[in-house]
Amino acid sequence: MILEAKSLYKSYKKGNSTIKVLEGFNFEMEKGDFVAVVGPSGAGKSTLLHILGGLEKPDEGFVFFNGENIYNDRKNLDNIRNKHFGFVFQFHYLLNDFTALENVAIPGMINDSENNAFSRAKEILVKMGLEGRINHFPKELSGGEQQRVAIARALINDPSVLFADEPTGNLDKDNSRIIIDEFKRLNAEGLSIILVTHDEKIASVAKRTLRMEKL
Ligand SMILES: Nc1ncnc2c1ncn2[C@@H]1O[C@H](COP(=O)(O)OP(=O)(O)OP(=O)(O)O)[C@@H](O)[C@H]1O
Ligand SMILES: [Mg+2]
């Protein structure tokens, strides 16, 4: 089991009211799986993704990556997140003052030399069909291209799990298709993927679908 969650609880307090999001939620994922997470707005899809990805601690319960409790130790959590997890969000959050190549290479310098990070960044961008765009700044890229750069950035540290929260939320049909084909290719190469989407058609490319309901 690459990723496992046991009995997760999460609620948010706002003023006098408490919003329950997860109550005893369990999750299991084998290496190489591709899970689509669907459900109505507010069902807790992003919350679940953040908890599984080590970005937000659950109130109760455990998340295990390769059998290791990720929230046990702060330093180890950073290490797992940097080395083994990749994230793609609806908004790409690329750095505007840096080129596509630099945006992808920079997080690679955490684990590797500058030279290696740049050469790997280039390799990934080429694989994603962006060879002619590596020196473009984000504003010189189309929305679909920006999102492909964001995916390339998520892959720079060669993660074993890719977490994606509505990565096609801002894209038209053609660009969504390109992104989804990319995910399929990455999954075929062995990457485990958790993809949150509103779009049932996009969910259908995953190996299985996890449906969340509002509590
Ligand atoms: N930091 C927070 N403080 C208070 N409430 C929050 C917080 N984050 C999320 N919530 C609430 O928790 C619930 C679940 O939110 P979440 O973002 O996980 O939903 P979602 O399924 O991703 O929805 P969407 O499809 O709209 O992105 C929502 O009702 C939301 O308002
Ligand atoms: Mg969400």
Side-chain angles (χ1 to χ4, degrees), residues 74-105:
R74 178 77 229 179
K75 258 182 108 176
N76 194 32
L77 174 60
D78 290 343
N79 184 49
I80 290 173
R81 253 192 343 229
N82 290 332
K83 288 205 174 132
H84 303 291
F85 292 172
F87 297 91
V88 183
F89 300 101
Q90 180 173 359
F91 303 98
H92 55 71
Y93 301 115
L94 295 172
L95 304 170
N96 288 319
D97 297 333
F98 292 89
T99 64
L101 183 65
E102 289 163 343
N103 265 283
V104 177

Side-chain angles (χ1 to χ4, degrees), residues 14-207:
K14 205 78 185 151
N16 289 330
S17 63
T18 300
I19 302 162
K20 286 182 179 172
V21 183
L22 299 174
E23 269 199 311
F25 193 94
N26 296 306
F27 178 82
E28 289 183 350
M29 184 169 167
E30 299 287 354
K31 186 174 164 20
D33 203 353
F34 186 167
V35 185
V37 180
V38 300
S41 184
K45 304 181 297 296
S46 296
T47 303
L48 176 69
L49 203 78
H50 295 162
I51 292 175
L52 293 176
L55 298 171
E56 194 174 352
K57 212 178 167 191
D59 300 332
E60 279 180 59
F62 305 97
V63 178
F64 301 96
F65 170 69
N66 287 329
E68 195 179 349
N69 179 348
I70 69 167
Y71 289 105
N72 235 354
D73 177 89
R74 178 77 229 179
K75 258 182 108 176
N76 194 32
L77 174 60
D78 290 343
N79 184 49
I80 290 173
R81 253 192 343 229
N82 290 332
K83 288 205 174 132
H84 303 291
F85 292 172
F87 297 91
V88 183
F89 300 101
Q90 180 173 359
F91 303 98
H92 55 71
Y93 301 115
L94 295 172
L95 304 170
N96 288 319
D97 297 333
F98 292 89
T99 64
L101 183 65
E102 289 163 343
N103 265 283
V104 177
I106 288 165
M109 295 171 194
I110 301 172
N111 298 325
D112 207 348
S113 73
E114 200 171 313
N115 271 346
N116 284 343
F118 271 108
S119 67
R120 278 186 304 108
K122 190 170 175 197
E123 203 177 297
I124 297 168
L125 285 164
V126 169
K127 257 195 193 169
M128 305 201 79
L130 290 168
E131 185 158 20
R133 299 288 182 278
I134 58 173
N135 292 318
H136 284 230
F137 289 92
K139 66 170 191 303
E140 300 168 341
L141 296 167
S142 75
E145 289 166 350
Q146 289 169 354
Q147 199 56 308
R148 271 187 280 162
V149 173
I151 295 171
R153 178 185 53 186
L155 298 174
I156 188 68
N157 287 319
D158 198 17
S160 14
V161 187
L162 185 67
F163 298 88
D165 196 349
E166 311 237 20
T168 59
N170 281 318
L171 301 179
D172 64 16
K173 247 174 80 188
D174 289 347
N175 276 301
S176 298
R177 176 47 54 196
I178 292 170
I179 300 294
I180 291 310
D181 286 346
E182 205 54 58
F183 277 46
K184 278 206 301 207
R185 179 180 71 80
L186 292 165
N187 179 244
E189 287 177 359
L191 183 67
S192 309
I193 300 177
I194 306 180
L195 166 71
V196 171
T197 179
H198 271 119
D199 188 330
E200 291 282 345
K201 230 181 164 167
I202 287 174
S204 70
V205 305
K207 288 180 176 161

